[in-house]
Amino acid sequence: MSPTRSRFVQIHRSDDDNSTIGRNFKLFLLVLYLLNGEKFKHQEDLCSKKPLGPESLLLRGARLKNTKEIFGVAVYTGMETKMALNYKSKSQKRSAVEKSMNTFLIIYLIILIAEAIISTILKYSWQAEEKWDEPWYNQKTEHQRNSSKILRFISDFLAFLVLYNFIIPISLYVTVEMQKFLGSFFIGWDLDLYHEESDQKAQVNTSDLNEELGQVEYVFTDKTGTLTENEMQFRECSINGIKYQESNGRLVSEGPTPDSSEGPFYRNSLSHLNNLSHLTTSSSFGTSLENEIELIKKHDLFFKAVSLCHTVQISNVQTDGIGDGPWQSSLAPSQLEYYASSPDEKALVEAAARIGIVFIGNSEDTMEVKTLGKLERYKLLHVLEFDSDRRRMSVIVQAPSGEKFLFAKGAESSVLPKCIGGEIETTRIHVDEFALKGLRTLCIAYRQLTSKEYEDIDRRLFEARTALQQREEKLADVFQFIEKDLVLLGATAVEDRLQDKVPETIEALRMAGIKVWVLTGDKHETAVSVSLSCGHFHRTMNILELTNQKSDSECAEQLRQLARRIEEDHVIQHGLVVDGTSLSLALREHEKLFMDVCRNCSAVLCCRMAPLQKAKVIRLIKISPEKPITLAVGDGANDVSMIQEAHVGIGIMGKEGRQAARNSDYAIARFKFLSKLLFVHGHFYYIRIATLVQYFFYKNVCFITPQFLYQFYCLFSQQTLYDSVYLTLYNICFTSLPILVYSLLEQHIDPHILQNKPTLYRDISKNRQLSIKTFLYWTILGFSHAFIFFFGSCFLMGKDISLLGNGQMFGNWTFGTLVFTVMVITVTVKMALETHFWTWINHFVTWGSIIFYFVFSFFYGGILWPFLGSQNMYFVFIQLLSSGSAWFAIILMVVTCLFLDIVKKVFDRQLHPTNTEKAQLIKTNSSVKCLDSMCCFSEGEATCASVGRMLERVIGRCSPTHVSRLWSASDPFYTNDRSILTLSTMESSTC
């Protein structure tokens, strides 16, 4: 064993204290080491003044892709160096469907207990008469006569509970889990969610929340990398108060220099600026030689700061000749390939290389830069990592001349207040102009350190990094001490273009009744510009602002003014812009007022947000009185907190690693895929599982209610109506497959219609398909069918007449088998009536289940099985079906049960059709609209059309194979449907 590995084993084993944090930290270090695959070069890597953090492991050649997520610990690499120890497991989330299931289960448990109590009380009331207490054919034993009445009451109550316990659909939970697990594969198989450029398909990390995709009311989305491509392109910069644009490797000034009276001038990067032979007082620029030399130094220092203040890594390619000669910068992009945790850093380093200052890599603690073909080595002394509180990062380097510099870059709100020199006001104006164009801005500043200042800084950093207690607080204090008295060099502006079809997707979400909130860390102007360009804010929308609030009272007064403006202009759509500082004040003491304002706004934009603030905003919406279902979309490690806080988390597999995708419930490659994920998959999943839940309770009511009614005819003797084998196989074999296949394949509306009509999403919002009203309908339907099963059979067999040709009478088991047969056929056909999308699988399991029941009953009752102790069902089923009257009774009861249900559906669709039912009407060649679920009727037909006409169309109901597609080739989202959900082709024909 190597010394390094041995040292780690000793660290892991030396657990003298029983501290859980200590053990976890040591284990964490051990796993990092084992995943790294390299030996730590120095023992001081763990406890020196430069600790080996997750960012160092990732960016110093270790390439630890999995260090961001170990033991449920999310490490915000490059964004957050803290470990999110309070990881929230996704398994703790419960969907609205599961909550409804639990509510329904409690109701059925009450029904079960009520039936058991009623049966027990009626039994003893009946037995109060002596002739029924101990009839001659059922004499009691001596033990039964002397037993306690209380114990007998409890025993009988428990016996009835066992007899009726099948009303609780235990198999429902098994079927739901199977449906969720198997149904989740359809998302990964959907070719419309496949991104060809990146070769990425949709991923499902949890199958417990499929139906929640159909219940989303709020979408919280990040901006960079989620709405945008996260491909940064350097566009403009401001150096020493002068604004430049980049054009073909040249810096182009947008206006005259401070000392020039002429118009715009051009500089071929720095090569032209360094051609000092042309820089005279009589030059065409009209500037003195001294001013030009000073300007050159500013440019040189600015781009050197850009080339040194970063955590970019370089690929191991041949770099000889890069930057040689008079600024041959065109070689850099073709021979150098940079890797960075932040696309902004990569874009800036590449821009500096095109301008002429080429970063060519680092080794140990040295950073190498080529300037005018001259190699310069800077010693990297300290790295002050970026964090969301400071919003900046810094490096301390030693130049080849021995001078020590502090270079800092970050948001203008965090850098400009620290500056005491440079063109601060001019640069601030330029930054605002960049932001109005939708560009992402960073400010660059520096500070030259004396030897004494550096020694003090080095000592403070060492003490803070080796502190055993409050290390983070001490480091933050030291960073604030170091990053002061800066001299502003300028600002950069990079462009991040929108992803494809983002405006269409946001508009579709708004049409579906979903409110979209954008949570971003960008500055106010940049965020507003991007919101307008992506359609989050409309040009006609009244934009309200809650920004730059300094106190609670000021924030409260502003919120009241906004509330009054919304009341006065209630017709106009409003959008709200909130910054991080104002949000903190609003959430401190004015949550209700803030929520009232947000609730009345069509769109909300939160800018300058820290990662934890994003999670707080989502939690605020979650705990509001309406308890809406929230969805969060993000692509980076800084979005993990809000993804985990939301009910449904969507990770974008972008260019900022896989932290968001790994910690999300679902991962997609592009934001535009969110529309199909919600409107199609979410809609289908919710309808399927809602019907599954209601159907299970319905068929169990049909199953057990005759058992309860039968007790009135057997003196509550707890005699079972069905054979024990039928009791066991009812939910396992006879009725399980049709509903399972339905819950996997059902498409009550074509996917294209769902996607092209986002308003249909409103029909299933607020958990409407699992409302108490719908639940009561299915429950009452189950009781009514059960009464028809039982009393229909009683009417047929109640009289003392022979139904068999040989004069024999039907017995107890024959009666129960008749009820059971009618029940199996009825609940199966009921499932067939609920099915809109027929495939060969549906036909196979639906009609196959009925056939299997008959075949099984023939074999079960037609053979004396030696391994069965008693066989009460021998020849019962064959005898039952040998009677023509029994066949007539079966058909009559099945038709009676389903007839009223069909008539109700027809009248509801004629008189009060929902938007979904209207969308099922597809135009055909004969100008007749075809309702592919239950009926067809002519366009404009009166609602009082004859029942006969409607029933005729019910019999000739439409099949998906006869429905024409209405969508056009100009689909606003997808031009063709390659979804695996479309299992059968559709042809145009008349109804």
Side-chain angles (χ1 to χ4, degrees):
M1 181 181 295
S2 65
T4 308
R5 186 179 296 270
S6 176
R7 181 170 67 251
F8 262 85
V9 173
Q10 291 172 4
I11 289 176
H12 178 57
R13 290 178 179 173
S14 60
D15 191 15
D16 297 333
D17 60 321
N18 292 323
S19 170
T20 303
I21 297 178
R23 289 196 302 271
N24 289 343
F25 180 71
K26 294 170 186 176
L27 186 59
F28 179 70
L29 290 178
L30 176 62
V31 173
L32 287 182
Y33 167 71
L34 294 177
L35 290 177
N36 184 14
E38 296 182 359
K39 297 180 181 179
F40 291 112
K41 298 176 181 179
H42 303 288
Q43 185 175 359
E44 64 182 11
D45 280 338
L46 292 178
C47 56
S48 66
K49 55 188 176 183
K50 290 182 294 183
L52 188 61
E55 184 174 340
S56 301
L57 287 171
L58 187 66
L59 298 177
R60 291 176 61 183
R63 313 245 173 173
L64 282 180
K65 296 181 180 179
N66 294 325
T67 56
K68 302 163 191 168
E69 186 184 42
I70 299 176
F71 303 131
V73 177
V75 181
Y76 299 157
T77 305
M79 301 296 293
E80 297 270 359
T81 57
K82 303 177 182 179
M83 292 179 289
L85 295 175
N86 56 342
Y87 173 79
K88 179 179 179 182
S89 174
K90 288 293 180 182
S91 62
Q92 297 174 356
K93 295 184 178 181
R94 288 199 307 162
S95 66
V97 171
E98 291 175 343
K99 295 177 183 178
S100 299
M101 284 173 53
N102 294 339
T103 302
F104 299 160
L105 187 65
I106 292 174
I107 295 175
Y108 270 66
L109 185 60
I110 294 174
I111 294 175
L112 169 62
I113 295 174
E115 288 182 347
I117 293 175
I118 292 173
S119 298
T120 307
I121 293 175
L122 290 178
K123 175 180 180 178
Y124 283 91
S125 299
W126 205 308
Q127 291 180 355
E129 299 183 32
E130 186 176 352
K131 65 176 182 177
W132 298 121
D133 182 38
E134 192 174 351
W136 61 270
Y137 56 84
N138 189 17
Q139 296 290 321
K140 292 182 179 180
T141 63
E142 191 65 28
H143 175 72
Q144 289 175 333
R145 293 191 184 98
N146 298 330
S147 61
S148 171
K149 291 185 177 181
I150 297 177
L151 291 178
R152 277 187 295 170
F153 185 91
I154 296 175
S155 176
D156 287 330
F157 171 75
L158 295 177
F160 282 116
L161 281 181
V162 173
L163 188 64
Y164 303 149
N165 80 90
F166 289 94
I167 197 174
I168 304 297
I170 303 300
S171 57
L172 168 63
Y173 289 87
V174 179
T175 307
V176 165
E177 290 303 318
M178 292 178 61
Q179 188 269 347
K180 289 183 175 182
F181 173 72
L182 297 176
S184 63
F185 287 101
F186 286 102
I187 294 178
W189 291 340
D190 193 343
L191 295 180
D192 281 337
L193 302 183
Y194 171 74
H195 190 243
E196 296 182 1
E197 295 179 9
S198 59
D199 191 27
Q200 292 173 337
K201 63 178 183 179
Q203 297 178 4
V204 180
N205 297 329
T206 176
S207 60
D208 291 337
L209 302 172
N210 293 341
E211 65 278 4
E212 291 291 81
L213 295 173
Q215 296 296 296
V216 175
E217 299 174 56
Y218 283 84
V219 169
F220 299 89
T221 175
D222 180 39
K223 183 184 75 68
T224 305
T226 304
L227 301 179
T228 62
E229 290 285 358
N230 207 11
E231 290 182 354
M232 307 300 175
Q233 295 292 331
F234 178 82
R235 294 304 184 199
E236 300 184 50
C237 65
S238 173
I239 306 175
N240 197 33
I242 305 174
K243 191 160 57 172
Y244 299 94
Q245 290 182 343
E246 184 191 17
S247 177
N248 299 323
R250 299 164 57 94
L251 281 183
V252 182
S253 172
E254 291 189 358
T257 62
D259 300 320
S260 174
S261 60
E262 297 186 9
F265 66 96
Y266 298 84
R267 302 183 184 276
N268 183 9
S269 304
L270 295 177
S271 58
H272 184 69
L273 288 174
N274 282 274
N275 189 4
L276 300 181
S277 61
H278 298 285
L279 297 176
T280 63
T281 55
S282 61
S283 66
S284 60
F285 298 116
T287 60
S288 65
L289 178 62
E290 292 78 8
N291 289 338
E292 283 294 334
I293 293 176
E294 183 64 24
L295 190 61
I296 291 172
K297 290 181 179 180
K298 292 291 185 181
H299 282 72
D300 181 73
L301 194 58
F302 176 85
F303 284 106
K304 281 185 178 178
V306 170
S307 299
L308 294 172
C309 186
H310 57 75
T311 55
V312 174
Q313 294 294 303
I314 194 170
S315 61
N316 295 323
V317 297
Q318 181 64 35
T319 60
D320 294 340
I322 303 300
D324 292 340
W327 299 94
Q328 298 179 20
S329 58
S330 60
L331 296 177
S334 62
Q335 298 190 28
L336 289 177
E337 187 173 1
Y338 297 111
Y339 297 94
S341 60
S342 170
D344 298 77
E345 289 189 333
K346 181 174 180 289
L348 293 178
V349 173
E350 289 175 343
R354 292 192 298 270
I355 298 302
I357 299 181
V358 186
F359 170 68
I360 61 174
N362 54 6
S363 58
E364 295 295 335
D365 293 332
T366 302
M367 304 182 73
E368 298 179 351
V369 177
K370 275 193 174 182
T371 306
L372 284 173
K374 178 183 177 182
L375 179 63
E376 298 179 358
R377 288 186 173 88
Y378 290 81
K379 185 177 181 181
L380 181 61
L381 301 175
H382 292 284
V383 177
L384 281 59
E385 296 85 358
F386 177 91
D387 64 66
S388 59
D389 296 328
R390 290 166 40 245
R391 298 180 183 272
R392 59 182 177 268
M393 75 160 292
S394 303
V395 295
I396 301 177
V397 297
Q398 182 176 343
S401 61
E403 296 176 311
K404 296 179 177 64
F405 291 93
L406 167 71
F407 292 117
K409 71 175 180 183
E412 89 289 345
S413 59
S414 62
V415 173
L416 295 183
K418 300 291 182 179
C419 294
I420 59 173
E423 299 292 336
I424 298 177
E425 294 304 321
T426 304
T427 303
R428 192 192 304 274
I429 295 174
H430 290 169
V431 167
D432 291 339
E433 293 175 355
F434 295 153
L436 290 174
K437 298 178 183 179
L439 303 178
R440 294 167 57 87
T441 60
L442 287 175
C443 288
I444 311 295
Y446 84 102
R447 173 187 173 190
Q448 187 170 354
L449 303 174
T450 64
S451 299
K452 185 177 180 180
E453 287 176 334
Y454 174 73
E455 290 175 0
D456 185 30
I457 289 174
D458 185 64
R459 178 183 56 80
R460 289 173 178 263
L461 281 173
F462 178 78
E463 292 175 354
R465 283 171 169 161
T466 56
L468 299 179
Q469 295 180 346
Q470 298 180 341
R471 181 179 302 174
E472 294 180 358
E473 291 79 359
K474 292 180 179 179
L475 277 174
D477 293 339
V478 174
F479 288 173
Q480 294 291 344
F481 171 78
I482 297 173
E483 296 169 329
K484 65 179 183 180
D485 299 335
L486 303 177
V487 177
L488 183 64
L489 290 172
T492 62
V494 297
E495 181 184 29
D496 187 12
R497 66 183 181 89
L498 284 176
Q499 291 184 15
D500 189 28
K501 296 180 180 176
V502 167
E504 293 91 335
T505 303
I506 292 180
E507 183 60 28
L509 292 173
R510 185 177 288 113
M511 292 175 61
I514 300 174
K515 292 189 176 181
V516 181
W517 289 34
V518 176
L519 313 179
T520 178
D522 287 347
K523 72 187 309 294
H524 172 269
E525 292 80 5
T526 303
V528 172
S529 176
V530 174
S531 288
L532 288 170
S533 63
C534 72
H536 181 234
F537 285 165
H538 291 301
R539 297 290 177 182
T540 58
M541 188 178 289
N542 183 21
I543 307 299
L544 309 176
E545 292 191 358
L546 181 65
T547 57
N548 301 322
Q549 303 301 306
K550 304 300 182 183
S551 63
D552 288 337
S553 58
E554 182 182 351
C555 180
E557 180 59 29
Q558 180 67 12
L559 284 172
R560 294 188 189 97
Q561 292 180 8
L562 296 179
R564 285 194 294 269
R565 289 182 59 184
I566 293 175
E567 290 180 2
E568 294 170 359
D569 302 330
H570 61 277
V571 179
I572 305 175
Q573 283 190 333
H574 299 278
L576 178 65
V577 182
V578 189
D579 62 10
T581 305
S582 303
L583 180 67
S584 299
L585 295 174
L587 297 183
R588 187 180 303 171
E589 296 181 1
H590 314 292
E591 283 189 9
K592 185 178 183 302
L593 186 57
F594 177 71
M595 281 301 303
D596 290 340
V597 172
C598 293
R599 204 176 286 115
N600 293 312
C601 292
S602 303
V604 178
L605 170 64
C606 299
C607 55
R608 285 301 185 211
M609 296 282 287
L612 292 180
Q613 282 183 310
K614 295 181 180 180
K616 287 181 180 179
V617 169
I618 295 178
R619 181 162 183 80
L620 178 66
I621 299 298
K622 282 176 60 178
I623 64 177
S624 61
E626 296 83 5
K627 297 292 189 297
I629 302 300
T630 58
L631 181 146
V633 191
D635 71 310
N638 60 326
D639 301 319
V640 170
S641 57
M642 77 169 183
I643 287 175
Q644 292 181 344
E645 183 62 45
H647 292 94
V648 182
I650 306 293
I652 301 294
M653 296 178 286
K655 298 177 176 62
E656 289 194 12
R658 291 293 181 267
Q659 301 96 321
R662 289 173 181 168
N663 287 277
S664 63
D665 300 304
Y666 305 90
I668 54 179
R670 286 294 183 268
F671 182 80
K672 66 178 181 179
F673 295 154
L674 188 63
S675 61
K676 185 163 190 180
L677 190 65
L678 298 184
F679 302 152
V680 178
H681 290 283
H683 200 116
F684 283 157
Y685 283 138
Y686 178 73
I687 291 295
R688 292 165 182 170
I689 200 168
T691 306
L692 183 151
V693 171
Q694 302 282 24
Y695 177 78
F696 253 91
F697 284 106
Y698 154 79
K699 71 185 183 74
N700 276 35
V701 167
C702 293
F703 182 37
I704 290 304
T705 303
Q707 184 93 282
F708 172 71
L709 298 174
Y710 183 62
Q711 297 306 306
F712 288 86
Y713 291 83
C714 66
L715 296 180
F716 298 94
S717 61
Q718 295 145 16
Q719 168 66 37
T720 179
L721 177 62
Y722 314 118
D723 182 71
S724 59
V725 174
Y726 285 162
L727 283 170
T728 303
L729 297 183
Y730 176 75
N731 281 319
I732 296 178
C733 298
F734 299 148
T735 60
S736 60
L737 286 181
I739 183 59
L740 178 61
V741 172
Y742 171 93
S743 66
L744 292 175
L745 304 180
E746 172 64 2
Q747 296 181 35
H748 62 301
I749 304 179
D750 189 88
H752 276 79
I753 298 177
L754 285 176
Q755 185 136 2
N756 291 335
K757 295 185 177 181
T759 52
L760 297 179
Y761 194 82
R762 297 172 183 259
D763 282 358
I764 61 172
S765 62
K766 303 291 185 181
N767 203 19
R768 293 181 182 177
Q769 299 299 320
L770 286 175
S771 64
I772 293 297
K773 179 181 177 181
T774 309
F775 168 74
L776 290 177
Y777 166 75
W778 279 90
T779 301
I780 294 173
L781 184 67
F783 278 113
S784 63
H785 285 183
F787 273 78
I788 294 174
F789 301 156
F790 185 81
F791 290 108
S793 301
C794 283
F795 178 79
L796 178 68
M797 303 177 59
K799 301 299 180 180
D800 191 15
I801 57 176
S802 172
L803 297 178
L804 297 174
N806 57 6
Q808 292 181 349
M809 303 294 295
F810 280 174
N812 171 63
W813 295 113
T814 307
F815 174 76
T817 303
L818 175 61
V819 174
F820 192 84
T821 302
V822 175
M823 178 174 55
V824 168
I825 297 175
T826 302
V827 299
T828 304
V829 177
K830 170 63 178 173
M831 187 72 263
L833 291 175
E834 295 295 322
T835 302
H836 303 83
F837 188 76
W838 283 93
T839 67
W840 68 267
I841 303 177
N842 295 87
H843 286 290
F844 178 77
V845 298
T846 301
W847 316 123
S849 294
I850 298 176
I851 294 173
F852 173 76
Y853 165 70
F854 279 87
V855 173
F856 173 83
S857 297
F858 271 113
F859 278 94
Y860 174 61
I863 301 175
L864 286 174
W865 301 98
F867 52 83
L868 296 178
S870 62
Q871 195 164 350
N872 299 320
M873 295 296 295
Y874 178 68
F875 221 69
V876 169
F877 192 74
I878 297 174
Q879 187 183 47
L880 173 66
L881 297 187
S882 64
S883 170
S885 301
W887 279 104
F888 175 76
I890 292 172
I891 296 173
L892 181 63
M893 283 187 283
V894 170
V895 172
T896 302
C897 287
L898 299 177
F899 176 77
L900 295 177
D901 186 42
I902 292 175
V903 171
K904 178 187 177 301
K905 284 182 176 292
V906 171
F907 273 103
D908 283 347
R909 289 172 180 268
Q910 283 286 97
L911 301 176
H912 307 288
T914 63
N915 290 330
T916 300
E917 291 167 350
K918 292 177 182 178
Q920 290 171 332
L921 303 174
I922 306 299
K923 290 182 180 179
T924 59
N925 295 337
S926 60
S927 71
V928 175
K929 288 189 174 182
C930 175
L931 187 57
D932 71 295
S933 57
M934 293 303 300
C935 61
C936 310
F937 51 87
S938 301
E939 185 174 5
E941 183 179 12
T943 57
C944 56
S946 65
V947 175
R949 178 176 174 81
M950 290 187 293
L951 293 180
E952 179 183 356
R953 287 173 176 169
V954 169
I955 297 174
R957 58 177 303 205
C958 305
S959 170
T961 57
H962 298 101
V963 181
S964 66
R965 294 194 173 198
L966 241 196
W967 55 90
S968 62
S970 59
D971 188 338
F973 297 97
Y974 304 98
T975 56
N976 63 321
D977 181 21
R978 300 174 296 152
S979 171
I980 197 170
L981 291 173
T982 307
L983 300 177
S984 63
T985 58
M986 295 188 179
E987 300 174 356
S988 175
S989 104
T990 59
C991 185

